[in-house]
Amino acid sequence: MTRRIPDLKRIVIKIGSSSLISANGSINERMIIEVSRQISLLNQKGIKVVLVSSGAVAAGRSVLPESGSSLDNIQAAAAIGQPILMRYFQEFFQIFNMNAGQLLLTHEDLRSRRRYLNARNTINYLLEKDMVPVINENDSVSTEEIRFSDNDFLAALCTNLINADLFIILSNIDGVADKNPLLHPDARIYETLGVGEIESLISTLKGETVLGMGRGGIMTKLRSPLMAARYGVPSIIANSSEENILLRLVEGDPLGTYVEPDESQLNAWRAYIAHAMQPRAVITIDAGAAQALSRSKASLLASGIISTSGTFQRGDGVLCCLEDGTEVVKGIVEYSQDEVEQIAGKNSSEIENILGYAHRKSVIHRDNMVTVQGARA
């Protein structure tokens, strides 16, 4: 099948730790040189590139006196490794007459409208000046509650941030396979996948992992292009070690796995809720509410709520499930966990009398939710 590569003006490239960091923990200089060279050639063709780079934590761990998986250790490793990594990018981009600019982002930067616009304006300015924005999660300050699950998600969000025409994920795999290649030698690489096929694979491969330095594994290699597809952006997952990989991909060479964009795309906010937002807790709802949410696209009212599990505040993401654990929707709540417990099962008209105020008639407004695929929580 011929790949539908659009007229490219802006692309997002994500490169993983497995490509940038050698097995002994040292920086893979050859890879950074190659990526820098190819991006400079793309820029000469009029294609602006935003580079989302992993590797800071892995680079920092080679310097720390002891390794570990605690949040303190990860944040310290990121603080050490990020300037090391950027020094290499800056040095090698300058060899090819370009400069790199660093942006460290967190969930809050893309959730807050003001911060979102500030980040977009900075990126746009760098691109206009023929510079390469190098983006990474701000691991030094991110906590488990607010961090992205992987830089793949951050990169997918960036496709919307800059109105990208293509999303490329470079890793140490040849593409998406029907089975884990490390466990199944007969695994077959998909040349092209649609949104429905990606969703099916996510369900099939759940529980299987691919070994590597990154924290996302194969699941984010599936979920992040799915997210980009919801924005209407095609994606390609390919092996970074292929010669001239970036130049060949933009020309339409059938390397890696091409993920087709979704024609009925979600808007940016709903795509974020569907694919990037991490639910903080669970709200259990009754069958009537589930039917209204799934079929009628209604808001979640207090009358349909049975109970809550976990702690959340107003503005947090939650998962709404039936009593048997079947997932129904994900959304942003208008009330805290304590408030929801007080108004659960009550009519919306009673909220103000119970709480003394009412943020909204709904607990989750229909504009702030998306339906999910009926899995078990």
Side-chain angles (χ1 to χ4, degrees):
M1 183 181 293
T2 303
R3 294 182 174 182
R4 294 179 294 170
I5 303 296
D7 181 26
L8 299 177
K9 296 181 177 62
R10 292 184 170 192
I11 65 176
V12 173
I13 299 169
K14 188 269 177 176
I15 185 164
S17 301
S18 58
S19 300
L20 294 174
I21 308 298
S22 302
N24 62 3
S26 62
I27 299 288
N28 185 342
E29 293 187 34
R30 180 180 175 277
M31 180 60 65
I32 296 181
I33 291 172
E34 265 303 293
V35 168
S36 303
R37 180 184 68 84
Q38 291 179 61
I39 288 177
S40 71
L41 291 174
L42 291 175
N43 190 68
Q44 291 174 29
K45 293 174 178 283
I47 302 173
K48 306 294 186 181
V49 174
V50 169
L51 180 63
V52 179
S53 168
S54 296
V57 173
R61 278 178 170 156
S62 65
V63 178
L64 280 175
E66 59 181 27
S67 60
S69 58
S70 70
L71 183 59
D72 287 345
N73 185 275
I74 291 171
Q75 290 177 325
I80 295 169
Q82 190 61 41
I84 295 174
L85 197 60
M86 276 306 301
R87 177 171 61 83
Y88 281 96
F89 276 122
Q90 190 67 274
E91 177 184 346
F92 293 133
F93 271 118
Q94 287 177 350
I95 291 175
F96 301 105
N97 300 313
M98 295 194 74
N99 282 291
Q102 176 179 267
L103 283 88
L104 300 177
L105 301 177
T106 67
H107 255 305
E108 291 302 311
D109 294 317
L110 300 185
R111 179 170 169 176
S112 161
R113 184 63 177 169
R114 180 177 59 83
R115 290 183 178 179
Y116 178 96
L117 293 174
N118 286 340
R120 186 175 69 179
N121 290 340
T122 299
I123 293 170
N124 284 338
Y125 186 84
L126 290 171
L127 294 176
E128 289 169 5
K129 300 301 180 183
D130 287 334
M131 298 182 181
V132 181
V134 179
I135 299 175
N136 194 357
E137 179 172 5
N138 196 348
D139 286 303
S140 295
V141 300
S142 290
T143 63
E144 291 294 342
E145 290 78 14
I146 65 170
R147 74 193 312 203
F148 298 100
S149 61
D150 186 85
N151 271 337
D152 294 320
F153 277 120
L154 174 56
L157 286 167
C158 287
T159 64
N160 177 260
L161 186 68
I162 69 158
N163 296 318
D165 304 301
L166 181 65
F167 177 31
I168 297 174
I169 301 174
L170 295 182
S171 186
N172 61 346
I173 57 175
D174 294 328
V176 177
D178 56 353
K179 293 176 282 191
N180 186 339
L182 295 180
L183 303 177
H184 308 280
D186 61 336
R188 178 176 63 89
I189 300 294
Y190 292 100
E191 182 176 332
T192 304
L193 287 171
V195 167
E197 293 168 308
I198 287 281
E199 291 174 336
S200 177
L201 273 173
I202 287 173
S203 177
T204 302
L205 295 175
K206 200 170 282 185
E208 291 202 16
T209 59
V210 173
L211 300 177
M213 294 183 184
R215 69 174 183 257
I218 190 61
M219 295 309 290
T220 57
K221 299 298 182 293
L222 294 172
R223 289 195 172 108
S224 55
L226 176 61
M227 185 178 181
R230 297 297 193 195
Y231 290 141
V233 180
S235 303
I236 305 174
I237 302 100
N239 198 318
S240 60
S241 63
E242 286 279 351
E243 185 177 0
N244 288 319
I245 183 65
L246 295 175
L247 302 177
R248 295 163 69 185
L249 289 177
V250 300
E251 293 297 328
D253 279 13
L255 299 166
T257 300
Y258 175 84
V259 179
E260 297 175 327
D262 189 8
E263 294 181 1
S264 57
Q265 54 189 274
L266 292 171
N267 64 36
W269 178 239
R270 282 202 166 107
Y272 169 83
I273 293 172
H275 303 294
M277 185 193 75
Q278 301 300 310
R280 295 287 299 272
V282 173
I283 293 178
T284 302
I285 60 177
D286 60 34
Q291 184 173 357
L293 296 178
S294 300
R295 298 182 183 178
S296 306
K297 308 302 181 186
S299 299
L300 175 64
L301 303 179
S303 58
I305 295 175
I306 297 173
S307 63
T308 67
S309 175
T311 302
F312 55 88
Q313 300 298 321
R314 184 187 183 196
D316 284 340
V318 298
L319 188 63
C320 297
C321 302
L322 290 169
E323 288 186 280
D324 66 358
T326 301
E327 299 173 6
V328 182
V329 299
K330 290 170 68 178
I332 307 291
V333 289
E334 296 290 342
Y335 294 89
S336 69
Q337 185 267 339
D338 179 64
E339 292 168 333
V340 172
E341 285 287 348
Q342 294 182 60
I343 62 177
K346 306 296 184 181
N347 191 285
S348 298
S349 61
E350 300 177 75
I351 293 177
E352 189 167 359
N353 288 333
I354 295 170
L355 300 178
Y357 51 85
H359 299 310
R360 252 185 176 177
K361 291 182 179 180
S362 57
V363 174
I364 303 178
H365 192 270
R366 62 180 176 271
D367 291 342
N368 295 327
M369 70 167 67
V370 293
T371 55
V372 292
Q373 296 297 312
R376 294 296 176 113

